Amino acid sequence: MLKIRPLLIFTVLLTVLTLCTSSVSEAALGDRLLARGSRGPEVTELQKRLNMLGYVVGPIDGIFGRQTESAVRLFQKEHGLAVDGIVGPQTVRELKRLTGQSVTAGGTTVGYKNSDINLLARLVSAEAKGEPYRGQIAVAAVVLNRVKSPQFPNTIPDVIYQPGAFSPVANGEIWKEPVSSAYNAVYEALAGTDPSYGALFFFNPAKTTNAYIWSRPQIVKIGNHIFCR
Amino acid sequence: MWLRVLAVLLTLAVLWGVSEYKESYDLKLITENHYRRSMADFVSSLDGLESNLAKSQAAGTPTQQVYYFSQAWHQSEMALKNLTMLPAEEYGLAYVDQFLNQIGEFSKILTQQITKGDKITSEQDQTLNEMHKRLIAVNRDVQEFYNDMNTANIAWLDKQTGQAEWTYRGIPNRTAAQVVAQGDEQGTEEQQAKPMSIRGALEQLDASLQKLPPFTYSGQTETHYVPEPLGLPDKEVTEDEAEAVAKNFLAKVGYADAEPQLSGTTTGAFGGYTFQYADKTVDVSKKGGVVTLFRDERSIGVQQLSVDETAAKALQTLQELGWNNLVQTSTEDFGGYILLEVVSEVDKVRIYPDRIRLTVARDNGQITGYDATPYWSFHHERDLTDRITPAAARQKLRPDLQIKESRLAVISLPGWQEAFCYEFRVSKEDEEFLVYINARNGVEEKIQRIIKSPRGEYLE
């Protein structure tokens, strides 16, 4: 009983929302199989939820097109599901579970609890997509190390938005959709893993001539980035 | 005809230009207002901080002391936050940040100390006094260039980037360095160029603070890395020995024939060798020759195992790697893999600092991520004999809490400190918490809220 309540509330809320936003259909995600060519509010919900986890679907338009299909396939692959590009009960269950809200022990819904995670994932994605996974964790760890260091601001947003600190903030790259691996990297860094072993800076030696950054004591090189103290 | 077309085009171009100009002017104004607001907030919180630190030194009762120190703690955070919102060409005012962070941290330490019932020591009193003196100088300096900003309209940045067509009309003949030097009588007298902008003035202030030694006090934290790992075995290993360690590790996690190659070295407290085998990486420390980090970046196949089965397989692998006495404390389900934490347990006492974190694939139960740095950072012999009775500890809990579980545990506290505690899992209305009561003196050390995230139980 306790376990079902938040889900029930959520479903009811979603249904109400769907009713409010669309007079065409009352369907909710999971009512029917969705595949290439499907249209409707369930597809919109599918796209939103995929987006929340960093799977790029293109415009959220309620049309199950090529991009949505490849996002579904990638989601299935990365979550150990059969990769068929079709959204059936298993895929829906997994997607709903991972995009749900947190609850207290007794079942009161208390929100997503992920405000900083999204921002950090965007930064990691903009700075290090294409880098090895442990390099992505290391970039997230550098931000967290700065939060802990007395020489830097004390919150994740303050560190990320510090003027001049990260180029993706200055050039707007940070507002591109983050990739899914960036989210996973952020969760691991927040749990405490730090492949940079305490670094406060990182840079790409092929692209940086800044004397200050080269003068920092270097700790480790991961992929194209050198991490330093 | 031609003339008419040209005239129309010209009018359109002018209209377009005017609207663009108007729009960019509005945007500049919005940005400008944000900056000015942050500057105003920075100046007033710094001023409030100075005043509260002064009062805290006159307060005689714990009630008033706690009030002023917690105000100071809050205001230093506010000042720092607003400072980071001001425009900059390059980031970083590391020494101003450090100065404010130290005042904030010291105020926090004193707040907690007083609420525990302890008095401020004369040494702490002196540190406080020195901090306050330095702050008076910094505060005066900031107020002076804020005043200039309001009266002489000096620019934000030396290189003007868009906003403010203001011209610099002079700043009084006092520089940040001089003021701090006068206020503190420690710095060296040095003639510096007048700052041409707010940022320039802040950078001079930063440079002048760099010349002064940072404060030292007990309880201070610099917690982004462990300066000296407590748990690493003493012997140094050679590259060949480290390679054997990596090979053995890979064999135990499922790659019997792995031929790891050296791919790099690391420096620092955990300095050592990084070995690569296909898409797998193993870090082996030079001191002690232990695996600190392992990462397998293979792609993950279709789920075959439940979360519990996956965790069980990983625990078995850990035993094969030579880890005994480890108990599972949390799992998070990410779909294709789980995030699993295990800690050591000695005589039924959970040692939370001695922790290993794993990611385990749900296709075959193989460990894909292994992080033993916390264990090697903190593991040491601990004396866990002297303790109060469970009943005495229970007395310290609020009477309206329902106790669901209890055990003994060692927990980490800020600044690499540890406390030996009774851990109570309690419920109150529809919430559950972990409450930690110090097992030596009965002090309530820490409270954690238990949240069920979509991935599993999570402590907040």
Side-chain angles (χ1 to χ4, degrees):
Chain A
M1 187 59 206
L2 280 175
K3 265 191 142 176
I4 299 168
R5 242 176 64 201
L7 203 80
L8 211 102
I9 296 170
F10 197 67
T11 322
V12 169
L13 268 174
L14 263 174
T15 320
V16 171
L17 265 174
T18 321
L19 280 174
C20 293
T21 49
S22 152
S23 53
V24 186
S25 167
E26 296 168 21
L29 183 59
D31 285 357
R32 59 176 172 123
L33 286 183
L34 298 176
R36 187 81 179 259
S38 301
R39 279 164 185 257
E42 314 101 291
V43 179
T44 309
E45 194 195 333
L46 170 74
Q47 290 173 326
K48 276 188 190 161
R49 286 180 187 259
L50 283 168
N51 222 340
M52 273 175 75
L53 296 172
Y55 295 93
V56 181
V57 294
I60 295 179
D61 52 6
I63 302 168
F64 198 127
R66 187 181 51 80
Q67 270 184 304
T68 305
E69 185 180 331
S70 62
V72 168
R73 282 177 179 276
L74 187 59
F75 173 80
Q76 291 172 329
K77 185 169 182 298
E78 292 188 347
H79 290 81
L81 303 168
V83 181
D84 54 11
I86 297 167
V87 180
Q90 252 200 324
T91 305
V92 168
R93 199 183 323 121
E94 194 66 357
L95 190 59
K96 281 191 173 172
R97 180 177 73 81
L98 290 168
T99 52
Q101 297 198 18
S102 293
V103 296
T104 65
T108 307
T109 310
V110 288
Y112 293 106
K113 298 264 172 192
N114 65 353
S115 60
D116 288 346
I117 289 167
N118 183 275
L119 180 62
L120 192 46
R122 282 175 184 279
L123 182 78
V124 169
S125 184
E127 287 280 7
K129 79 178 151 227
E131 289 291 311
Y133 181 57
R134 64 196 181 103
Q136 298 184 21
I137 303 175
V139 166
V142 165
V143 172
L144 300 177
N145 288 338
R146 286 190 180 186
V147 171
K148 291 181 208 151
S149 162
Q151 303 214 332
F152 287 90
N154 296 330
T155 67
I156 292 173
D158 283 357
V159 165
I160 290 178
Y161 288 120
Q162 192 176 18
F166 296 101
S167 55
V169 175
N171 64 23
E173 282 284 309
I174 194 169
W175 296 116
K176 288 191 177 163
E177 287 307 326
V179 296
S180 59
S181 64
Y183 279 95
N184 294 341
V186 166
Y187 280 113
E188 283 200 52
L190 284 170
T193 294
D194 179 6
S196 82
Y197 296 102
L200 289 175
F201 304 91
F202 64 90
F203 66 102
N204 184 334
K207 293 182 186 164
T208 308
T209 50
N210 184 308
Y212 175 76
I213 197 89
W214 274 103
S215 75
R216 309 296 309 173
Q218 299 180 1
I219 303 170
V220 59
K221 183 164 194 271
I222 303 174
N224 290 316
H225 286 139
I226 291 177
F227 292 83
C228 39
R229 236 184 272 299
Chain B
M1 180 63 195
W2 273 111
L3 227 57
R4 244 181 238 174
V5 173
L6 268 178
V8 169
L9 283 177
L10 189 67
T11 319
L12 283 175
V14 166
L15 283 175
W16 179 76
V18 167
S19 92
E20 283 291 296
Y21 176 80
K22 176 85 172 65
E23 199 172 316
S24 95
Y25 176 81
D26 288 349
L27 281 173
K28 270 182 206 165
L29 197 62
I30 291 169
T31 319
E32 182 67 32
N33 288 342
H34 275 294
Y35 287 157
R36 287 199 171 238
R37 177 178 168 184
S38 301
M39 186 69 193
D41 274 341
F42 170 63
V43 175
S44 79
S45 43
L46 196 67
D47 199 38
L49 176 62
E50 190 270 311
S51 156
N52 276 304
L53 272 197
K55 292 180 198 169
S56 74
Q57 296 178 79
T61 58
T63 328
Q64 286 297 303
Q65 285 177 327
V66 165
Y67 176 75
Y68 291 117
F69 285 128
S70 51
Q71 285 290 309
W73 173 11
H74 171 69
Q75 276 159 333
S76 66
E77 297 263 333
M78 282 299 294
L80 191 62
K81 192 177 198 66
N82 285 297
L83 182 63
T84 60
M85 291 199 276
L86 297 175
E89 284 145 49
E90 277 184 37
Y91 79 97
L93 291 165
Y95 296 92
V96 182
D97 286 4
Q98 178 171 284
F99 179 60
L100 291 171
N101 268 322
Q102 285 205 317
I103 296 177
E105 184 179 63
F106 193 56
S107 307
K108 178 166 123 187
I109 289 170
L110 293 178
T111 308
Q112 287 169 341
Q113 185 178 323
I114 297 161
T115 46
K116 276 187 188 175
D118 296 335
K119 288 220 162 18
I120 299 176
T121 66
S122 61
E123 205 180 328
Q124 287 174 327
D125 226 3
Q126 196 182 338
T127 308
L128 191 62
N129 192 269
E130 282 166 21
M131 272 183 181
H132 183 228
K133 263 195 200 154
R134 201 177 289 184
L135 179 60
I136 287 180
V138 169
N139 190 34
R140 275 177 61 197
D141 194 34
V142 168
Q143 297 210 355
E144 291 210 4
F145 62 70
Y146 183 55
N147 204 27
D148 289 330
M149 182 180 136
N150 287 326
T151 54
N153 267 352
I154 72 167
W156 288 108
L157 302 171
D158 285 341
K159 259 182 278 163
Q160 296 207 9
T161 53
Q163 51 250 314
E165 312 84 42
W166 311 328
T167 48
Y168 170 73
R169 274 196 270 128
I171 188 167
N173 198 10
R174 276 169 80 90
T175 67
Q178 283 172 339
V179 174
V180 172
Q182 283 163 12
D184 214 75
E185 290 169 354
Q186 284 177 16
T188 47
E189 285 285 332
E190 202 174 297
Q191 211 52 46
Q192 287 201 31
K194 287 180 205 163
M196 299 294 286
S197 63
I198 292 291
R199 189 67 191 180
L202 283 168
E203 274 162 13
Q204 275 195 5
L205 178 64
D206 197 62
S208 67
L209 285 168
Q210 183 178 5
K211 295 193 187 103
L212 303 173
F215 296 102
T216 52
Y217 44 88
S218 82
Q220 81 190 103
T221 52
E222 161 75 54
T223 50
H224 71 278
Y225 71 99
V226 184
E228 209 155 329
L230 300 172
L232 289 179
D234 276 330
K235 68 169 185 354
E236 295 252 318
V237 296
T238 62
E239 189 192 316
D240 287 347
E241 288 170 320
E243 191 184 314
V245 170
K247 205 170 147 79
N248 175 55
F249 186 93
L250 285 165
K252 296 279 163 61
V253 297
Y255 301 103
D257 305 321
E259 289 295 340
Q261 301 288 321
L262 186 74
S263 67
T265 55
T266 56
T267 63
F270 282 106
Y273 308 95
T274 302
F275 295 95
Q276 193 91 31
Y277 168 65
D279 48 8
K280 299 147 224 339
T281 325
V282 192
D283 286 1
V284 180
S285 68
K286 196 176 241 173
K287 182 169 184 282
V290 298
V291 175
T292 50
L293 285 174
F294 160 72
R295 179 69 52 183
D296 185 352
E297 301 195 17
R298 71 173 170 90
S299 59
I300 286 174
V302 176
Q303 287 177 22
Q304 305 286 348
L305 304 170
S306 71
V307 170
D308 289 342
E309 288 164 349
T310 312
K313 278 217 141 191
L315 288 170
Q316 198 186 324
T317 310
L318 283 175
Q319 284 207 336
E320 285 160 22
L321 282 165
W323 291 106
N324 299 306
N325 314 327
L326 292 179
V327 293
Q328 176 183 333
T329 52
S330 73
T331 49
E332 285 190 84
D333 178 8
F334 282 81
Y337 66 93
I338 62 168
L339 194 63
L340 173 69
E341 290 204 334
V342 296
V343 305
S344 69
E345 196 172 69
V346 181
D347 300 331
K348 295 194 176 163
V349 182
R350 272 194 188 174
I351 316 289
Y352 284 109
D354 295 2
R355 186 174 58 237
I356 295 178
R357 195 176 302 111
L358 306 167
T359 57
V360 193
R362 282 180 66 188
D363 51 3
N364 60 5
Q366 258 182 359
I367 292 176
T368 53
Y370 170 96
D371 176 8
T373 38
Y375 184 93
W376 298 117
S377 299
F378 305 120
H379 177 68
H380 64 286
E381 287 296 317
R382 299 169 174 90
D383 176 22
L384 303 173
T385 45
D386 186 26
R387 65 178 84 139
I388 60 174
T389 64
R394 223 170 282 140
Q395 286 271 307
K396 303 285 179 182
L397 296 175
R398 276 170 73 118
D400 59 348
L401 297 179
Q402 298 250 304
I403 300 171
K404 306 191 79 173
E405 265 178 49
S406 71
R407 64 163 58 83
L408 283 159
V410 172
I411 59 167
S412 331
L413 296 177
W416 308 134
Q417 299 188 55
E418 292 183 349
F420 178 34
C421 290
Y422 280 96
E423 174 188 275
F424 293 101
R425 187 178 174 125
V426 299
S427 69
K428 183 172 189 274
E429 285 154 29
D430 79 338
E431 298 257 16
E432 284 186 17
F433 302 92
L434 294 176
V435 180
Y436 293 92
I437 304 291
N438 194 306
R440 300 206 200 280
N441 56 23
V443 168
E444 189 178 46
E445 293 282 359
K446 183 156 123 178
I447 291 160
Q448 293 199 288
R449 181 191 192 191
I450 296 168
I451 293 288
K452 288 176 177 161
S453 86
R455 296 163 301 280
E457 216 170 74
Y458 163 79
L459 295 178
E460 191 177 57

